[in-house]
């Protein structure tokens, strides 16, 4: 029996070995992700930035047949934390201070909730909106008036109550309720006015952002509170129809930090953010995207990757998406990052540091460099390029 020459056997063996090695290396550097990503995300009231961000993410994800994001209109922060903890939602948008109360089991939550963070997204700005011709110059001037404190179960409601108490305008007669009235379109507005328990206080309505704007325009409220990114479409639309102003809230920042923690910072609302509305200083609070700690690591990593790979497309829908950056996104304490999110940040050269306290306000990251997006070989289509660095501390985070 004739045997093939030895050199031909070696050549064939070498070719097979090189091919096998190449496939292995490609598999390591370009891990396949074939599991479909189907998630429900709680946002906030229609016209608010949470709602815009969430619906934008769903729209962008819709181009991938393996990805489906279902968006639910909710009352936002407080409700979203409860729904994520119960498993009714996979993820939700929330103010960082509300999420911190959720994981610590402090009011308005009656026990610690299994909440983890996917990313710190951007800074919310607290709005107290009044008509331009009104006499109000500070929150305390609203004594005896009627205000909308935001949707029942929202972070806006919590912020409004804190500011009203700090301004000596009495306690809320009802407090924050544990059940959120819902209909098919999301949370119903609480139209029934709550008279102040203190006669020197204010009468409260619990209205969504859209209903709050309509109530101010129609003269049914003297002011409304809102916590959202800049610009918020409902406020922008209102300013085009009705002359409005924002109250300056900078005097309350030190007390908010002393009483409730270092989540709060003084931030500007620049002139021109809303038509003919002068610049003011206000209270900033970070926004997070959170998930249940039981979410599979692979799912959490895919969600984090989707956020970053969609960033440039999301910025075309709302500019706050440009604030998303891996260096600031990891600064979520005391809300722990989900292990799956940590895996993503490690893949783009950011480990999960543990700053001693929540960081300061976000800075808009530098423009994305052209080139390959972090994790572009994940098996999903790369949507944008996110700048990556290997050294340095998160913007606003304590050194070390």
């Amino acid at each position: 029996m004739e045997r093939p020459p030895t050199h031909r056997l070696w050549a064939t063996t070498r070719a097979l070995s090189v091919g096998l090695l190449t496939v292995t290396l490609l598999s390591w550097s370009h891990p396949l992700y074939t599991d479909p990503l189907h998630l429900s995300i709680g946002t906030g009231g229609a016209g608010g930035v949470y709602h815009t961000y969430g619906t934008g993410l769903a729209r962008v994800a819709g181009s991938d047949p393996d990805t489906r994001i279902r968006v639910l209109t909710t009352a936002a922060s407080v409700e979203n934390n409860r729904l994520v903890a119960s498993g009714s939602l996979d993820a939700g948008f929330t103010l960082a201070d509300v999420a911190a109360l959720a994981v610590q089991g402090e009011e308005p939550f009656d026990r610690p909730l299994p909440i983890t963070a996917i990313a710190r997204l951007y800074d919310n700005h607290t709005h107290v909106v009044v008509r331009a011709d009104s006499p109000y110059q500070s929150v305390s001037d609203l004594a005896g008036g009627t205000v909308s404190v935001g949707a029942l179960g929202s972070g806006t409601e919590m912020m409004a109550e804190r500011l009203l108490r700090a301004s000596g305008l009495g306690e809320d007669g009802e407090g924050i309720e544990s059940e959120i009235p819902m209909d098919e379109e999301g949370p119903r507005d609480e139209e029934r006015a709550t008279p102040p328990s203190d006669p020197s206080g204010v009468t409260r309505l619990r209205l969504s952002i859209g209903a709050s704007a309509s109530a101010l325009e129609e003269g049914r409220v003297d002011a409304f509170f809102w916590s959202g990114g800049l610009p918020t479409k409902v406020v922008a639309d209102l300013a085009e129809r009705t002359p409005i102003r924002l109250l300056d809230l900078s005097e309350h920042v030190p007390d908010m930090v002393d009483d409730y923690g270092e989540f709060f910072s003084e931030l500007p609302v620049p002139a021109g953010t809303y038509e003919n509305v002068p610049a003011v200083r206000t209270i900033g609070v970070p926004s997070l995207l959170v998930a249940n700690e039981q979410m599979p690591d692979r799912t959490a990593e895919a969600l984090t990757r989707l956020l970053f790979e969609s960033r440039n497309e999301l910025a075309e829908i709302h500019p706050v998406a440009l604030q998303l950056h891996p260096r600031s996104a990891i600064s979520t304490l005391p809300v722990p990052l989900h292990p799956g999110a940590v895996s993503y940040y490690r893949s783009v050269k950011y480990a999960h540091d543990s700053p001693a306290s929540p960081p300061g306000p976000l800075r808009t990251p530098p423009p994305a460099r052209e080139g390959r997006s972090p994790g572009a070989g994940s098996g999903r289509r790369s949507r944008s390029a996110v700048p990556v660095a290997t050294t340095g501390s998160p913007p606003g985070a304590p050194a070390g």
Side-chain angles (χ1 to χ4, degrees):
M1 178 177 179
E2 183 179 353
R3 296 185 179 182
T6 303
H7 70 276
R8 288 177 57 191
L9 286 174
W10 276 112
T12 302
T13 302
R14 185 169 61 245
L16 290 173
S17 299
V18 170
L20 180 60
L21 179 60
T22 300
V23 170
T24 302
L25 291 174
L26 287 174
S27 298
W28 287 345
S29 59
H30 298 270
L32 296 178
Y33 187 93
T34 57
D35 296 345
L37 183 64
H38 295 169
L39 296 173
S40 59
I41 297 180
T43 58
V49 178
Y50 284 170
H51 192 269
T52 301
Y53 208 127
T55 54
L57 186 63
R59 187 190 317 165
V60 171
S63 62
D64 186 339
D66 290 328
T67 304
R68 185 169 69 245
I69 304 294
R70 184 168 62 97
V71 172
L72 280 79
T73 301
T74 69
S77 297
V78 176
E79 184 188 10
N80 283 347
N81 279 282
R82 288 181 175 137
L83 292 174
V84 168
S86 70
S88 300
L89 287 174
D90 296 306
F93 293 87
T94 177
L95 294 175
D97 63 315
V98 178
L101 296 175
V103 299
Q104 293 162 355
E106 299 181 14
E107 290 185 4
F109 306 99
D110 56 8
R111 66 187 187 284
L113 300 183
I115 296 296
T116 56
I118 297 297
R120 178 182 176 178
L121 302 173
Y122 63 89
D123 281 321
N124 273 28
H125 291 62
T126 303
H127 300 53
V128 182
V129 185
V130 298
R131 297 180 71 103
D133 58 359
S134 73
Y136 309 116
Q137 298 299 323
S138 66
V139 176
S140 60
D141 292 339
L142 295 169
T146 300
V147 303
S148 171
V149 295
L152 185 66
S154 66
T156 294
E157 181 188 30
M158 181 179 293
M159 176 65 78
E161 292 298 343
R162 289 170 169 176
L163 285 171
L164 290 171
R165 286 194 295 269
S167 301
L169 297 185
E171 296 288 333
D172 175 11
E174 292 186 345
I176 299 176
E177 299 182 16
S178 59
E179 295 297 326
I180 312 300
M182 299 286 290
D183 59 22
E184 291 181 357
E185 299 300 321
R188 296 196 304 267
D189 294 320
E190 180 54 76
E191 295 285 357
R192 179 167 53 87
T194 303
S197 56
D198 182 338
S200 65
V202 296
T203 298
R204 295 160 169 81
L205 290 175
R206 291 173 176 80
L207 304 176
S208 66
I209 177 60
S212 294
S214 296
L216 183 71
E217 188 173 17
E218 296 164 6
R220 292 188 289 114
V221 298
D222 299 296
F224 70 84
F225 290 78
W226 167 248
S227 185
L230 296 182
T232 293
K233 178 173 170 46
V234 168
V235 180
D237 291 346
L238 175 63
E240 293 176 359
R241 301 190 305 268
T242 303
I244 60 171
R245 290 184 290 110
L246 303 183
L247 300 187
D248 193 295
L249 302 177
S250 56
E251 65 177 298
H252 296 287
V253 174
D255 288 339
M256 293 293 288
V257 172
D258 289 344
D259 292 344
Y260 304 108
E262 296 183 11
F263 301 99
F264 307 96
S265 60
E266 182 179 317
L267 292 180
V269 180
T273 301
Y274 302 112
E275 186 173 326
N276 297 320
V277 174
V280 296
R281 306 291 296 182
T282 191
I283 302 169
V285 188
S287 282
L288 308 180
L289 182 65
V290 297
N292 193 296
E293 65 182 23
Q294 297 301 316
M295 175 180 279
D297 290 0
R298 193 175 178 86
T299 302
E301 182 174 2
L303 174 57
T304 312
R305 189 180 306 280
L306 175 64
L307 272 178
F308 281 90
E309 293 185 353
S310 304
R311 193 190 71 160
N312 287 354
E313 289 172 84
L314 288 170
E316 296 176 2
I317 297 169
H318 199 290
V320 295
L322 286 176
Q323 294 186 40
L324 181 68
H325 187 274
R327 183 175 293 176
S328 55
I330 63 176
S331 299
T332 64
L333 290 180
V335 183
L337 276 174
H338 191 290
V342 173
S343 295
Y344 171 79
Y345 295 120
R346 285 177 175 160
S347 76
V348 294
K349 311 303 183 187
Y350 286 96
H352 179 205
D353 297 329
S354 298
S357 60
L362 294 178
R363 294 199 295 266
T364 301
R369 295 196 298 265
E370 294 183 1
R372 186 168 175 267
S373 170
S378 65
R380 293 188 178 276
R381 174 172 73 85
S382 176
R383 293 183 171 90
S384 69
V386 179
V388 175
T390 56
T391 60
S393 300

